[in-house]
Amino acid sequence: MPQAVLLNNIDHHDLRVITARGARYGDDTMLAPTFFREFRDLQAHYPVVFQKTADGGFQPMALLGLRADENLFLSEPLLDGNRHERQRWDAHYLPIAVERLPFLIGIADDEPMIHIDLAHPRVVRGDAAEGEPLFLEHGGTTAFLEHMASMLRTLHDGLRDNAGFIAALLRHRLLEPFALEIRLNDRSKLRLTGFHTIDEQRLSELDAAALHELSQAGYLQAAYMALASMSHLRDLIERMNRRHAADR
């Protein structure tokens, strides 16, 4: 169960954060929340889809797998010299929502502040423990924590700015639901549903005024990036085929 607390250099002076990748550290997830300004980096590796939210809006997501609790970008576990399972992330870019863990933005005195989930498997204590320290021995923050703080600010601002992007997509009716029937090499079948994508036909029919509006806000480029990213669905299917073949 998460245990998020406001980070400080008194109570948490000896905390370290493990940066290795793996299911044991919570990386076995099918989806990573994202924001439209991250699409350029994501589209080189991951499909970007849109998931409905409880309030009737949409949240952009990087698709990491084809089934719940499965990340096809994690390699198969291998034992290191200490008999610990090690995995690697098979892409050159990590979604910010994944990389920033176990940190999160919380509100303290009406201001966004860095919090940390003390129950997260990446969090360890002790000077000799594995992982990156957060605070310097004689005060101050480490370069690692400063980098994490920068990513948190980027994520916080990006998720906030999604509201305008999604509103524009809905205003121009640019989101459409999609379903994908998948037949794997071993003859098993999967069905991917519950997501929306950019309506390419509708986008191509927008008039000059609508295109200018979207372009000025930075939304037009993001829409095309999301469209281009969908070619990686084939890559995900091939990753699953290779995983099934290795399991046999």
Side-chain angles (χ1 to χ4, degrees), residues 29-233:
T29 180
M30 175 186 178
L31 299 163
T34 184
F35 51 95
F36 75 93
R37 297 191 193 281
E38 193 183 22
F39 289 4
R40 175 185 285 275
D41 294 313
L42 291 173
Q43 60 84 32
H45 304 283
Y46 316 100
V48 175
V49 296
F50 297 82
Q51 188 176 49
K52 265 196 170 181
T53 57
D55 61 3
F58 287 87
Q59 170 62 54
M61 295 284 191
L63 192 62
L64 310 178
L66 298 172
R67 296 184 297 200
D69 303 321
E70 179 181 65
N71 182 348
L72 293 169
F73 290 88
L74 284 181
S75 67
E76 290 299 306
L78 295 173
L79 293 179
D80 64 16
N82 296 318
R83 307 296 294 174
H84 293 148
E85 282 190 355
R86 296 291 184 183
Q87 291 178 282
R88 63 183 179 85
W89 192 291
D90 186 25
H92 296 300
Y93 180 81
L94 273 174
I96 291 178
V98 173
E99 189 175 1
R100 55 90 186 182
L101 293 171
F103 300 99
L104 60 155
I105 289 284
I107 303 300
D109 297 326
D110 296 324
E111 292 292 329
M113 302 287 285
I114 301 177
H115 286 59
I116 187 168
D117 178 6
L118 295 178
H120 198 280
R122 293 190 177 279
V123 178
V124 292
R125 282 191 180 274
D127 293 337
E130 177 186 7
E132 296 286 343
L134 307 184
F135 298 102
L136 300 173
E137 183 179 356
H138 301 294
T141 58
T142 62
F144 170 75
L145 182 56
E146 290 173 2
H147 174 63
M148 288 293 158
S150 176
M151 282 200 303
L152 280 173
R153 284 192 295 270
T154 299
L155 181 62
H156 177 74
D157 293 345
L159 294 176
R160 178 199 61 203
D161 294 344
N162 269 346
F165 175 56
I166 296 301
L169 295 183
L170 294 176
R171 185 166 61 252
H172 294 291
R173 294 182 286 120
L174 289 175
L175 289 178
E176 64 173 351
F178 80 96
L180 184 64
E181 299 282 352
I182 303 167
R183 186 180 180 87
L184 298 173
N185 291 344
D186 63 4
R187 299 184 181 278
S188 61
K189 295 180 181 179
L190 287 174
R191 180 174 169 82
L192 186 68
T193 60
F195 301 108
H196 285 61
T197 187
I198 300 292
D199 185 333
E200 185 172 5
Q201 180 65 33
R202 175 68 184 161
L203 182 59
S204 70
E205 294 172 350
L206 290 180
D207 60 25
L211 291 172
H212 180 73
E213 172 205 329
L214 294 173
S215 180
Q216 287 295 102
Y219 300 157
L220 185 60
Q221 182 187 71
Y224 278 114
M225 291 290 177
L227 264 178
S229 77
M230 296 302 286
S231 65
H232 291 298
L233 281 173

